């Protein structure tokens, strides 16, 4: 049996180089997921062979490894309410709640 001919050639990626580049891009930064304007604190999660990749500290869901631009670094201050809470910082006063909980007034 022969090997299939790839429709779109994919260059091989060296995991160690990829992880090192992610560390270079995200160290000291915050991150955006997709096109969201919310800035998350960066945490480093295990990937493979003791390598780590950046992810939102609040564990916000997303898919991918970041190679396709799913997460991007930003200098913007943290604006994710959960990341702020986990970091012991006061919540961003500019981020509005989506809806009022029972007994609360929407401002």
């Amino acid at each position: 049996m022969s090997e299939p001919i790839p429709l779109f050639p994919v260059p091989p990626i060296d995991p160690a180089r990829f992880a090192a580049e992610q560390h270079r891009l995200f160290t000291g930064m915050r991150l955006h997921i997709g096109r969201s304007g919310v800035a998350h604190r960066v945490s480093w999660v295990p990937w493979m062979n003791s390598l780590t990749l950046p992810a939102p500290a609040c564990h916000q869901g997303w898919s991918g490894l970041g190679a396709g631009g799913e997460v991007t670094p930003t200098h913007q201050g943290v604006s994710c309410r959960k990341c702020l809470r986990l970091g012991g910082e006061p919540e961003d006063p500019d981020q509005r709640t989506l809806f009022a909980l029972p007994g609360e007034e929407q401002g």
Side-chain angles (χ1 to χ4, degrees):
M1 179 180 247
S2 64
E3 290 289 318
I5 299 172
L7 295 175
F8 304 102
V10 178
I13 296 175
D14 175 24
R17 284 183 65 193
F18 177 72
E21 180 64 13
Q22 294 299 294
H23 276 267
R24 187 186 70 73
L25 287 171
F26 286 92
T27 297
M29 303 288 280
R30 272 70 56 208
L31 66 80
H32 289 293
I33 299 172
R35 294 183 179 174
S36 172
V38 175
H40 297 270
R41 185 179 315 282
V42 174
S43 75
W44 298 95
V45 297
W47 181 36
M48 63 166 48
N49 299 334
S50 72
L51 300 171
T52 57
L53 292 179
C58 64
H59 305 289
Q60 171 64 46
W62 60 286
S63 77
L65 299 173
E70 301 90 359
V71 292
T72 53
T74 181
H75 287 288
Q76 178 184 341
V78 175
S79 58
C80 168
R81 294 176 82 173
K82 190 170 181 183
C83 285
L84 289 168
R85 195 175 320 118
L86 290 170
E89 299 177 48
E91 292 184 6
D92 181 357
D94 294 331
Q95 186 172 8
R96 311 271 302 171
T97 56
L98 294 176
F99 55 89
L101 296 173
E104 293 182 351
E105 289 184 32
Q106 182 99 9

